[in-house]
Amino acid sequence: MAAETLEFKAELKQLLHLITHSLYSDREIFLRELISNASDAINKVRFDALANADKLEGNTDWKIKLTPNAEAKTLTISDNGIGMTREEVIANLGTVAQSGTKAFLEAAKQAGKSGEAPGLIGQFGVGFYSAFMVADKVTVVTRGPGSPADGTRWESDGQGAYTLEAAEKPARGTDVILHLKDDAKDFLDQWRLRSLVRKFSDFLEHPVTMDVEKEVGEGEEKKKEVTEETLNSRKAIWLRSKSEVKPEEYDEFYKSLTHDSDGPADIIHYAAEGKTEFKVLCFVPARKPWGFDYEEPVAGLKLYVQRVLIMDRCEQLLPTYLRFVKGVVDSADLPLNVSRELLQQNPLLDVIQKSVVKNVLESLGGMKNIEFDKYLGFYKAFGTVLKEGLTRDWSNREKIADLLLFESANTEAGKFTTLAEYVGKMPEGQKDIAYLIGESAEQLRHSPYLEAFRAKGQDVLLLTDPIDEFAIPQLGEYKGKKLVAADRGEAAGGGDVPDGDKERFKALLGALKEKLPDVADVRLTNRLTESAACLVADANGVSAHMERLMERMGRDSGTAKRVLELNPNHATVEAVRTLHEKDAADVRLDLYARLLYEQAVVAEGSKVSDPVAFAKRVNDLIARDAKAGA
């Protein structure tokens, strides 16, 4: 039969332009699409053979073969799958509108308006046309099961027409021959093909092969020999049960996945069964990868569908606060968009994510309870990241809170406690969980804000991660106990000040407030037992530590006025009161007022606005005291 030229529908040019220029971030994806199609074709004939064994024709050596031909500038992808009859070729490759082109283009048009991904590759059947990203002509030679010995040849340059003719094809299956463009010759390189197969199709059930020429023998007997090499490992260990996988296999897979030289801290491997079925294999790293803190904070797991890599990092499967987790999810139930790079919004993604998050948090909890030293190493690397979940994952806040570790005023330096342990050790009468945020635990241990808590036998959590200012208030409470900042006005400081002290210091407090425009108020406190003064923020005010963080981030919002609290039982404060009572106009009161404020600024970890003037005031005081005692 002579070759017959047929016209494509008018939409084809739009379709090819869209696929070539819009849908794929990297045109190397074409190989994944064609290998995936070949794998589907093999699975189809295997399924059909369950009802009709004759369709196998004795051809059951299942494989997908790549044949690069540098001389002809072609790359052939062959399979012994279901193949196609002439009518099926026209239906599947020729009459594109029957594959849903109009619907596809409309979906793509609407998606462009909404910013979402276009339609589904499974729905519209246009993955084959990704071949035109790298080829200026595509030839397909195919024969279906039970067809005449002659097959069908389909050929097109994608410009509006295609030709059909009979072709010699003794065996069932399909050959897709790509006549590569000049700028796509790198896809003839065997090393390039091998790396792409390992990247996208390494865990495909069926072997992907290629003829490789190697030298065999030695000396004069050395000769070149062509052997068929399997390019994919076909070792999808996540499809095996956990009991069947050796520890060294997990380590090898983890290292190939992450390029980490060490093994993982923990392995999460399970199969979800029921209405939704998927396989999960995730790893918790033991240490922070190089560059982790400087990368864009994006989470995601590798997404496979029937062992074919669809997305290298599917963000919908993992929240960003678990971005240190690496691994794969394999599901056959997910609808994919036309590029196989983005997924259509689907409730199944939420189901999978919830399952993964639940299992990761349970795994971390088990490690904390059973292998604390290992967990401590993990937490020092990723604890800050984990805390992000307090602000983003409302449903799991308490589970995340149970995983947090803290230094505290009552723990040894370098030792840690948990919220559960803190609550369990709270003395009778303590209602709230107290915490203090600052630059370092060592600095916080000497803070005046701890004095009243120590006096009452109460512990205070010492927080030093920048995120603590945002995350801990989001947590709000734990096990019914409110979390309260020790440097806030409402923090438990030991009860109200006696009325007698209030009356004795009333005049001084008024005078100091006039002399110190930097503060919102001056009042007495019994939160201090050793120090003379401290600064506190009101319940809704900005803390000094938050101000310092914002300044580092280039978001200087100005200095909020805080409250200066004085210890009425401190000798210095009493001496100032006595001086004011004796002579309210004494010039030394200005000096003492400023020094009380500035020492409180230093104690909270901030810098005084004029350190030179501060140093001069201290030196003048030393000189005066030394002279008086001489």
Side-chain angles (χ1 to χ4, degrees):
M1 182 182 294
E4 181 181 4
T5 300
L6 302 175
E7 293 291 326
F8 281 117
K9 295 293 183 179
E11 299 93 346
L12 181 63
K13 287 186 179 180
Q14 301 176 55
L15 172 67
L16 290 174
H17 184 273
L18 187 60
I19 290 176
T20 305
H21 297 93
S22 303
L23 297 181
Y24 293 88
S25 60
D26 195 325
R27 61 181 186 169
E28 67 185 19
I29 300 298
F30 85 92
L31 188 62
R32 182 184 66 189
E33 295 298 328
L34 297 180
I35 289 177
S36 180
N37 288 347
S39 177
D40 290 343
I42 293 175
N43 289 335
K44 181 68 166 58
V45 75
R46 292 174 66 190
F47 179 81
D48 288 355
L50 295 175
N52 185 358
D54 292 340
K55 287 192 174 184
L56 294 179
E57 301 177 356
N59 184 0
T60 59
D61 182 19
W62 310 116
K63 66 181 174 182
I64 301 157
K65 188 164 187 174
L66 308 183
T67 307
N69 187 325
E71 186 175 344
K73 300 177 183 178
T74 61
L75 174 63
T76 302
I77 299 93
S78 304
D79 68 72
N80 57 343
I82 192 70
M84 292 178 283
T85 64
R86 178 184 174 88
E87 292 73 22
E88 288 170 335
V89 169
I90 295 173
N92 296 330
L93 303 183
T95 313
V96 185
Q98 291 187 10
S99 295
T101 308
K102 290 181 179 178
F104 165 76
L105 291 173
E106 181 61 28
K109 182 178 179 181
Q110 295 300 322
K113 293 180 180 179
S114 65
E116 297 177 355
L120 311 178
I121 193 167
Q123 178 179 344
F124 298 108
V126 296
F128 165 77
Y129 295 99
S130 63
F132 286 102
M133 292 190 295
V134 296
D136 48 27
K137 183 172 69 173
V138 177
T139 303
V140 177
V141 181
T142 184
R143 180 172 80 78
S147 298
D150 285 343
T152 301
R153 180 191 301 271
W154 177 99
E155 191 167 274
S156 176
D157 61 3
Q159 298 301 310
Y162 63 93
T163 62
L164 276 178
E165 62 180 324
E168 184 178 349
K169 179 68 173 169
R172 180 202 67 241
T174 301
D175 301 327
V176 179
I177 306 163
L178 309 181
H179 303 263
L180 297 176
K181 298 176 181 178
D182 288 338
D183 63 351
K185 299 295 177 54
D186 59 313
F187 294 110
L188 294 173
D189 182 77
Q190 290 190 346
W191 183 89
R192 177 93 160 108
L193 293 172
R194 183 182 288 107
S195 65
L196 288 178
V197 170
R198 288 177 177 171
K199 177 179 180 181
F200 292 123
S201 307
D202 198 38
F203 304 103
L204 214 66
E205 178 183 3
H206 311 298
V208 180
T209 70
M210 180 171 61
D211 288 341
V212 177
E213 187 177 74
K214 296 181 179 179
E215 287 189 347
V216 296
E218 297 180 358
E220 295 180 357
E221 297 182 2
K222 183 182 293 185
K223 61 180 180 179
K224 292 184 178 181
E225 187 177 283
V226 176
T227 59
E228 187 176 59
E229 180 180 318
T230 298
L231 307 181
N232 56 328
S233 71
R234 305 173 65 194
K235 293 180 179 178
I237 65 174
W238 61 83
L239 299 181
R240 294 150 58 185
S241 67
K242 193 170 183 177
S243 60
E244 296 174 350
V245 184
K246 298 177 181 178
E248 54 267 28
E249 290 182 291
Y250 280 128
D251 279 1
E252 181 181 346
F253 180 69
Y254 169 76
K255 291 174 181 178
S256 69
L257 193 69
T258 64
H259 306 293
D260 193 344
S261 58
D262 297 327
D266 206 5
I267 301 164
I268 304 156
H269 186 188
Y270 68 96
E273 298 178 349
K275 292 183 179 179
T276 302
E277 296 187 359
F278 52 90
K279 314 284 187 180
V280 175
L281 176 56
C282 293
F283 300 93
V284 177
R287 62 175 184 170
K288 187 180 294 185
W290 185 88
F292 181 86
D293 291 330
Y294 309 103
E295 296 175 348
E296 183 180 356
V298 179
L301 301 175
K302 289 181 179 289
L303 176 63
Y304 284 81
V305 173
Q306 296 180 354
R307 299 189 185 185
V308 177
L309 179 65
I310 303 305
M311 293 183 70
D312 192 61
R313 177 178 280 181
C314 182
E315 297 178 37
Q316 296 96 323
L317 295 178
L318 202 66
T320 54
Y321 75 90
L322 294 179
R323 59 184 175 274
F324 50 82
V325 175
K326 304 299 180 184
V328 303
V329 169
D330 194 327
S331 172
D333 300 326
L334 285 167
L336 308 173
N337 82 345
V338 68
S339 71
R340 292 189 182 224
E341 294 180 293
L342 298 173
L343 293 172
Q344 184 189 39
Q345 291 301 317
N346 188 289
L348 182 56
L349 290 174
D350 293 332
V351 173
I352 296 176
Q353 187 191 88
K354 288 178 181 177
S355 173
V356 172
V357 171
K358 175 179 177 292
N359 279 274
V360 169
L361 294 181
E362 287 179 355
S363 174
L364 293 176
M367 194 196 313
K368 179 176 72 72
N369 295 332
I370 299 171
E371 300 178 281
F372 184 79
D373 289 342
K374 180 190 289 188
Y375 181 79
L376 181 58
F378 154 80
Y379 189 83
K380 287 181 177 179
F382 301 107
T384 300
V385 179
L386 192 61
K387 287 179 183 177
E388 295 175 14
L390 297 176
T391 67
R392 299 177 179 179
D393 191 348
W394 190 264
S395 62
N396 287 304
R397 278 188 316 148
E398 192 153 304
K399 291 181 180 178
I400 297 168
D402 280 327
L403 297 172
L404 304 183
L405 301 179
F406 305 91
E407 286 195 64
S408 78
N410 289 353
T411 61
E412 296 179 31
K415 300 294 183 180
F416 295 86
T417 188
T418 65
L419 286 172
E421 291 170 344
Y422 179 100
V423 171
K425 295 178 180 179
M426 286 173 59
E428 186 177 353
Q430 183 178 352
K431 297 179 179 180
D432 302 325
I433 299 172
Y435 67 87
L436 185 60
I437 304 177
E439 306 298 328
S440 70
E442 181 61 24
Q443 180 192 52
L444 294 176
R445 290 179 190 279
H446 301 290
S447 171
Y449 302 111
L450 303 184
E451 293 174 9
F453 294 95
R454 284 199 180 102
K456 302 183 75 173
Q458 298 178 4
D459 201 0
V460 178
L461 301 176
L462 309 179
L463 312 181
T464 58
D465 288 333
I467 195 174
D468 289 330
E469 283 281 6
F470 307 93
I472 300 304
Q474 288 291 320
L475 178 59
E477 65 174 42
Y478 176 81
K479 304 295 186 184
K481 305 291 185 182
K482 186 179 179 182
L483 279 85
V484 178
D487 57 352
R488 295 281 179 171
E490 78 275 18
D496 200 5
V497 177
D499 291 339
D501 286 342
K502 290 180 181 178
E503 187 62 31
R504 283 193 311 118
F505 282 88
K506 183 178 181 180
L508 174 63
L509 297 181
L512 293 179
K513 188 173 181 180
E514 290 182 4
K515 296 176 184 297
L516 297 171
D518 314 76
V519 301
D521 195 8
V522 181
R523 65 192 181 203
L524 298 179
T525 183
N526 56 9
R527 77 171 70 235
L528 302 174
T529 60
E530 300 173 10
S531 301
C534 69
L535 288 167
V536 297
D538 284 331
N540 299 316
V542 178
S543 70
H545 187 255
M546 174 66 87
E547 285 183 357
R548 295 193 294 270
L549 285 178
M550 298 300 287
E551 184 177 356
R552 291 176 196 167
M553 296 166 63
R555 300 179 184 178
D556 187 4
S557 56
T559 301
K561 290 185 178 182
R562 285 181 285 283
V563 176
L564 177 64
E565 292 191 344
L566 301 178
N567 177 4
N569 299 315
H570 197 281
T572 298
V573 178
E574 176 61 28
V576 175
R577 187 200 68 79
T578 301
L579 179 61
H580 179 267
E581 186 178 53
K582 182 178 180 181
D583 183 3
D586 194 312
V587 295
R588 291 175 294 176
L589 287 171
D590 291 333
L591 170 65
Y592 297 154
R594 178 57 52 181
L595 284 172
L596 283 171
Y597 168 72
E598 289 178 332
Q599 68 167 284
V601 171
V602 173
E604 74 175 5
S606 300
K607 296 179 180 179
V608 293
S609 58
D610 189 345
V612 174
F614 172 63
K616 184 178 185 303
R617 281 188 281 272
V618 172
N619 289 333
D620 288 347
L621 187 61
I622 293 172
R624 185 183 306 164
D625 183 70
K627 185 176 180 180

